[in-house]
Amino acid sequence: MASKELSETAGAADQPPILIVEDSPTLALTYREYLRRAGMDAIIAETGAAALEAISKSKPAIILLDLRLPDMDGLDILKKLNAENNSARTIVITAHGSVKVAVEAMQEGASDFLLKPFAAERLVTTVNNNLEITRLAGLVQQYAGGQKKKFGRFIGVSPAMQAVYHMIEDCASSKASVFIMGQSGTGKELCAESIHNQSPRKDRRFVALNCAAIPSNLIESEIFGHKKGAFTGATSDREGAAVAADGGTLFLDEICEMPLDLQAKLLRFIQTGEVVPVGSNTPIQVNVRFVCATNRTPWEEVEAGRFREDLYYRLHVVPIHLPPLAERDQDVLIIARHMLESFAKEEGKEFTGIRADAENRLLAHSWPGNVRELGNVIQSAVVLNEGPELTGEMLDRLMGPTRRQALRQPASPILPDGMTSTGAIEPLAAAERRIIERAIEICGGKVRLAAKRLEVNPSTLYRKLKEWEAD
């Protein structure tokens, strides 16, 4: 094909994703045919100058670049692309089979390379792989650009919380039941409120009920209501949380604490949409969206016989896992700054920021109590100090040794049969602590990884770390 024809071909397409830079018309057309059969369009440039013009006009996502061109070295094109921070992924093609040339091209910014001759399958696979990387990079950029620093009453930019925000947005408009899981203090009720506030039910009531805070003999009345005289102390009719939430959202916190007999009544309510107040035989039709939460592992509760399996399947439709604060990276500092400003205003104190030593202290802590614990520490620091900065010394008086400090302490030698170096039997609690701290140390301070290796729930380790810090 003549140079003129190649240029016309290059100009005919409307910003195709692939540019073939090859001075041999036969090879260029062959490569384009390989790609066409795989459902991909490509344009062709047979010189370096034509390639640069096509890159400028068409902005291809993928460039197949022959290093030997009649008017310039392909490496010069690579250097120019690199200098301009061009996002195109360049696949170098060379017949001069030296790995050295390919390595040099990669150092200049090439994404991949092909050595002539190569089969159609190899070309298509290489191009597809690079197109997929381009697509994923675009998604990352898109999500990074739309990163939310606040979402409802949540604060945080960590990837773990961005995933939670997306889950809330995805399920808010649905009628499906949502099951929120996470340790105490991670914000399960905030999550439930966010779901309600973004749903079509936002103009109706959001009613929260903590199943762990209500005596078992009163929880049925709290949910379904009661009639006057139904039991001692029932001096008047009272509507329950289910009726109060009619048209809105009913949030049942710590659902796994609910007695089994009441779980059966809750299941019937979910199935029929009817509630029967205690002391009444007349059902009341209500329409609520169920959101539940627990700090336990629901399926473990089912297997242990403490939670009905049929109720689990009714409620556990959309699961949302809230990450512990220790896994939210820099969110700790973002939340701490927000709390410092809020509590300082509330207490009439002058705090302007957090000093570097305090930031390091906050990041090193394991936060077994999560955001609730962080709030307690920041509020105490504001009440007990005048500022102007939150310092590490202020925090040292309020917090126990950090996880990292504990790990720096030398571990006791591991001896057989639970024996100490003196030959006495080692107390079980001491052996447990030694094993857990050693596991966390081996896992580089990652508590969840240590829990996985030890085959226990991460909340167990966080709870024990908190107990040891208080000693």
Side-chain angles (χ1 to χ4, degrees):
M1 180 182 291
S3 176
K4 182 176 183 298
E5 189 176 352
L6 281 170
S7 299
E8 289 173 352
T9 304
D14 182 18
Q15 294 190 353
I18 303 168
L19 169 65
I20 301 171
V21 184
E22 170 61 66
D23 65 334
S24 166
T26 302
L27 289 177
L29 290 173
T30 300
Y31 301 157
R32 190 170 71 175
E33 181 62 17
Y34 288 165
L35 297 173
R36 188 193 65 78
R37 291 175 185 173
M40 292 179 275
D41 293 327
I43 59 174
I44 297 170
E46 63 180 8
T47 66
L52 292 174
E53 183 181 357
I55 291 168
S56 175
K57 290 183 177 180
S58 299
K59 295 180 172 54
I62 304 293
I63 301 171
L64 291 166
L65 177 63
D66 187 1
L67 289 181
R68 295 298 179 96
L69 298 170
D71 58 341
M72 67 175 67
D73 194 317
L75 288 175
D76 293 331
I77 294 178
L78 271 175
K79 291 175 182 178
K80 183 174 177 60
L81 293 174
N82 199 23
E84 295 174 350
N85 292 319
N86 192 297
S87 61
R89 296 186 65 82
T90 304
I91 303 168
V92 166
I93 299 174
T94 178
H96 306 282
S98 80
V99 175
K100 182 180 178 181
V101 174
V103 169
E104 186 179 357
M106 299 290 279
Q107 290 173 340
E108 293 296 341
S111 305
D112 212 333
F113 68 91
L114 291 167
L115 298 179
K116 299 176 182 178
F118 48 81
E121 183 181 359
R122 174 68 193 281
L123 173 64
V124 170
T125 299
T126 302
V127 170
N128 268 329
N129 288 344
N130 280 273
L131 282 172
E132 178 64 9
I133 292 171
T134 300
R135 185 186 71 83
L136 293 175
L139 286 176
V140 170
Q141 187 175 9
Q142 173 187 336
Y143 287 130
Q147 198 177 55
K148 297 178 177 65
K149 293 184 179 180
K150 288 189 176 183
F151 187 89
R153 290 168 60 197
F154 278 120
I155 300 172
V157 298
S158 64
M161 289 308 296
Q162 296 297 320
V164 171
Y165 302 159
H166 285 300
M167 283 290 292
I168 293 172
E169 288 177 329
D170 289 343
C171 75
S173 61
S174 171
K175 297 179 181 179
S177 300
V178 179
F179 213 119
I180 306 167
M181 290 155 283
Q183 299 171 13
S184 295
T186 50
K188 295 187 289 293
E189 186 165 348
L190 295 187
C191 183
E193 286 181 5
S194 295
I195 293 169
H196 173 77
N197 290 335
Q198 295 204 37
S199 75
R201 298 171 178 264
K202 63 184 178 182
D203 294 328
R204 304 302 292 269
R205 289 189 63 185
F206 171 84
V207 179
L209 200 66
N210 189 329
C211 300
I214 303 171
S216 57
N217 61 326
L218 295 178
I219 192 168
E220 181 179 0
S221 170
E222 289 294 324
I223 296 176
F224 302 126
H226 63 254
K227 304 296 289 184
K228 180 180 178 180
F231 52 84
T232 303
T235 57
S236 61
D237 291 353
R238 184 176 187 277
E239 71 174 20
V243 174
D246 189 22
T249 301
L250 177 60
F251 174 52
L252 298 176
D253 197 6
E254 303 302 346
I255 183 72
C256 290
E257 303 292 338
M258 182 178 287
L260 279 169
D261 59 337
L262 187 55
Q263 290 179 30
K265 295 179 180 179
L266 178 62
L267 178 65
R268 178 170 176 77
F269 169 32
I270 295 170
Q271 291 172 331
T272 64
E274 295 180 344
V275 298
V276 179
V278 178
S280 172
N281 293 319
T282 306
I284 302 173
Q285 190 75 31
V286 294
N287 175 11
V288 300
R289 202 259 180 95
F290 290 94
V291 179
C292 303
T294 182
N295 61 5
R296 301 186 184 183
T297 304
W299 186 248
E300 289 181 0
E301 296 300 299
V302 172
E303 291 182 320
R306 293 187 292 267
F307 198 77
R308 292 180 61 107
E309 184 174 356
D310 45 7
L311 182 59
Y312 169 87
Y313 288 121
R314 282 285 187 173
L315 295 176
H316 198 273
V317 179
V318 180
I320 296 179
H321 296 264
L322 292 182
L325 186 58
E327 294 183 4
R328 292 177 56 182
D329 304 321
Q330 295 295 315
D331 282 359
V332 175
L333 300 182
I334 296 173
I335 298 170
R337 292 188 190 103
H338 174 80
M339 289 178 167
L340 183 67
E341 180 182 351
S342 177
F343 288 130
K345 184 177 180 180
E346 185 178 306
E347 297 292 334
K349 298 290 184 74
E350 293 292 334
F351 277 87
T352 58
I354 304 175
R355 214 164 66 182
D357 61 337
E359 290 185 349
N360 293 334
R361 190 74 169 82
L362 293 170
L363 290 172
H365 193 61
S366 60
W367 300 113
N370 296 293
V371 179
R372 188 178 293 126
E373 180 187 357
L374 175 60
N376 176 270
V377 169
I378 300 298
Q379 184 175 23
S380 298
V382 170
V383 170
L384 298 175
N385 299 279
E386 295 299 327
E389 288 185 309
L390 181 66
T391 67
E393 184 180 356
M394 295 175 187
L395 294 177
D396 286 338
R397 295 196 292 266
L398 300 169
M399 300 164 62
T402 67
R403 180 176 72 247
R404 293 176 188 174
Q405 289 172 333
L407 293 176
R408 282 198 293 268
Q409 299 173 2
S412 304
I414 299 176
L415 301 174
D417 300 324
M419 302 295 287
T420 67
S421 57
T422 61
I425 296 176
E426 183 179 23
L428 180 60
E432 179 187 53
R433 178 169 182 172
R434 171 172 50 76
I435 292 169
I436 289 174
E437 289 182 345
R438 178 61 176 160
I440 296 174
E441 182 179 12
I442 291 172
C443 295
K446 297 178 181 178
V447 177
R448 292 186 72 83
L449 179 58
K452 184 178 180 180
R453 299 280 180 85
L454 291 170
E455 299 182 359
V456 297
N457 195 301
S459 61
T460 300
L461 298 195
Y462 284 118
R463 185 176 66 253
K464 289 185 179 295
L465 287 169
K466 184 176 182 180
E467 292 171 357
W468 297 335
E469 288 177 356
D471 289 344

